Amino acid sequence: MLCHNTFLFLVISLYFVFGHLNSDEPRVDNDQTQNQSPCKCEDVSLCQSIPPRRGYVRLAYVKEATTWKYYNFSQITDIGVWFNISELDPEMVCTAHRNNVQLHLAGKFGSDTLLNSSQQAQWTDDTLKIIKDNHLDGLSMDYEEIRSPDTEPYLIAFMVDVARKVRSMGPNYQFTTTQPYSPLPYYDLTTIPTVVDYLMIMSYDEQLQHDPDNLYPAANQQAWRTVYGLSKFIRLGIPASKLVVGMPWYGYMFDCESITADGKCYLTNSSRSSYTQDRFSKVYNSYANNENYNYTEGWDEVTISPFITIVSNVDPSFKKQFWYDNGISLTRKGIMFKQFNLKGTGVFHVDCLDYVSPALHYTIKEYWDTFTVFE
C-alpha cells in the first residue's frame, strides 16, 4: 500500500506542476453557452455563470426546491443545491444570478465511486453536465463516508481531477468541498487547500460524532468544539482564508428517562445513540401553546446554545429535550468564529424555518440576520 500511495502522490504532484490547478491562477475561459440547455430567464445573460463575490462567503445550503421565493438574496453570496436537481425551478437561477448569488451543485458520492475509476469518470461527466445544463456556477463535492489512511489518496486524487475539470469550464466556476468539524491525523491537508476555493467545515452534529454514549444531551454545535476544530485546521496549515464555518439551523430531540431539578435530561438507553433531527418551528407549533404539555426554554452558556424541555401533563413517561440554535446563539458564535479571519459562514440548511406561519414570522428575520455577522 505504501508504494501505491507514493505513486498516487506523484500523480497529484504532476497535476500541480503541469495542470496549473492552484485556485489563485487564471482559469480557462471556455464558451459558457456550449452544450447548455435553453435559457428560461427573460434576460438570457442571467443563464451565464457569474463571477464569485469578493469579501466574505455567506453560503446557504438548500434542501427544498420550493422555498427559495422566501429567501433574502441580499444577505447571501452562494447557494448549495442539495435537493433533486430535476425539481430546480429555472426562475431560482434567474433570481440568484440577478442578485449576484452563485449556485453550486452538491455533488455527493460514496466509496463505490471513490474506489472505481470508471465510476469516477461517469460521476464526473454526469455531474458537470448537470451543472452546465442547469446554468449553475460550481460544485460542492461531498464525501461523508468513513475516511482512512488507505482511502485518503484515492479521495485526494479524485478531488484534484474533478477540480481541474470544473475549472476548465470557465473562469467563474468554483470548486468547494465539505470537511468534518475537526480533521483526523491522516487527512491530506496539504493538497486540498490548493485545489478548492474554500472548505465548508461541517461544524454541526458534533455530539453525534464525539459522544454517542453520553448520558446527557448536548448542543448540535458546541462553541468550544467548533473553536477547537477551526484551530486544528489552521494549526495544521490550512489558511483561515480557505475555511467557511458551518452553522446549523436545525436541532435534535432527545427522549429523557428523567429530568433533574436543574433541568438536566438523563437520556434513555435508546436515545443515547439515536436522536431525532428536528426544527424549532415544528417543536414550537406542536408544544408551545398546547395545554397538554409543559414547555420550558433553557440556555447552556458552556456551548452557547438554547434548549427546550417538554413534559407531558397527561403522560408521565413523556419527557423530551430539544437542543437547537436560534438568532442569539448563532450571532454570538458567529462573532466568536469570525475572529479567526475565516473565509465566511455557511448555513445547513435555510429550509428549516417556517416561512408561512404568522406566529413564527419573526424568526425568519432573526435567523437570516445572522448572516450579517460576516459582512
Side-chain angles (χ1 to χ4, degrees), residues 20-250:
H20 305 296
L21 286 179
N22 190 292
S23 59
D24 293 328
E25 296 183 13
R27 306 175 187 177
V28 179
D29 188 5
N30 290 347
D31 179 9
Q32 295 188 52
T33 62
Q34 185 178 3
N35 298 326
Q36 283 184 322
S37 299
C39 179
K40 296 184 179 180
C41 299
E42 184 175 347
D43 179 356
V44 294
S45 69
L46 295 176
C47 287
Q48 296 182 0
S49 65
I50 63 172
R53 296 256 288 273
R54 295 184 179 274
Y56 287 115
V57 166
R58 298 187 298 277
L59 167 67
Y61 277 120
V62 177
K63 292 193 72 175
E64 297 177 10
T66 59
T67 56
W68 65 269
K69 295 178 181 179
Y70 300 101
Y71 298 167
N72 187 340
F73 283 89
S74 68
Q75 291 185 334
I76 54 178
T77 62
D78 299 37
I79 288 176
V81 179
W82 273 71
F83 54 79
N84 190 316
I85 197 65
S86 65
E87 300 175 0
L88 177 68
D89 184 345
E91 188 58 34
M92 180 181 180
V93 177
C94 309
T95 302
H97 285 175
R98 187 179 299 114
N99 287 275
N100 295 316
V101 174
Q102 283 203 336
L103 295 109
H104 302 162
L105 179 69
K108 300 191 71 172
F109 62 97
S111 58
D112 289 347
T113 298
L114 179 64
L115 302 177
N116 185 305
S117 59
S118 62
Q119 288 191 33
Q120 283 188 17
Q122 188 63 57
W123 183 92
T124 303
D125 290 345
D126 292 345
T127 299
L128 299 189
K129 186 177 188 303
I130 289 172
I131 292 171
K132 205 74 171 176
D133 285 351
N134 292 278
H135 313 289
L136 307 182
D137 309 285
L139 173 65
S140 175
M141 201 169 180
D142 183 58
Y143 180 76
E144 297 191 23
E145 294 188 20
I146 296 175
R147 291 161 67 172
S148 72
D150 290 339
T151 61
E152 192 70 5
Y154 292 93
L155 179 60
I156 300 305
F158 189 25
M159 284 187 179
V160 169
D161 182 59
V162 174
R164 176 177 62 84
K165 291 175 179 176
V166 169
R167 299 191 191 291
S168 72
M169 295 172 69
N172 297 330
Y173 291 89
Q174 292 202 85
F175 175 77
T176 70
T177 186
T178 58
Q179 293 286 304
Y181 84 93
S182 180
L184 292 174
Y186 51 81
Y187 285 8
D188 182 344
L189 298 181
T190 301
T191 304
I192 292 178
T194 66
V195 300
V196 301
D197 289 282
Y198 57 79
L199 296 170
M200 167 64 179
I201 307 303
M202 297 181 289
S203 304
Y204 34 77
D205 299 341
E206 291 176 352
Q207 182 185 21
L208 276 67
Q209 299 176 47
H210 206 276
D211 294 326
D213 297 320
N214 200 359
L215 297 178
Y216 301 95
N220 187 9
Q221 181 187 64
Q222 302 171 53
W224 65 271
R225 277 202 174 132
T226 304
V227 167
Y228 169 79
L230 293 172
S231 301
K232 194 172 179 181
F233 274 108
I234 295 169
R235 189 168 62 250
L236 292 174
I238 301 289
S241 60
K242 290 281 187 175
L243 300 178
V244 170
V245 61
M247 309 290 277
W249 282 11
Y250 65 95

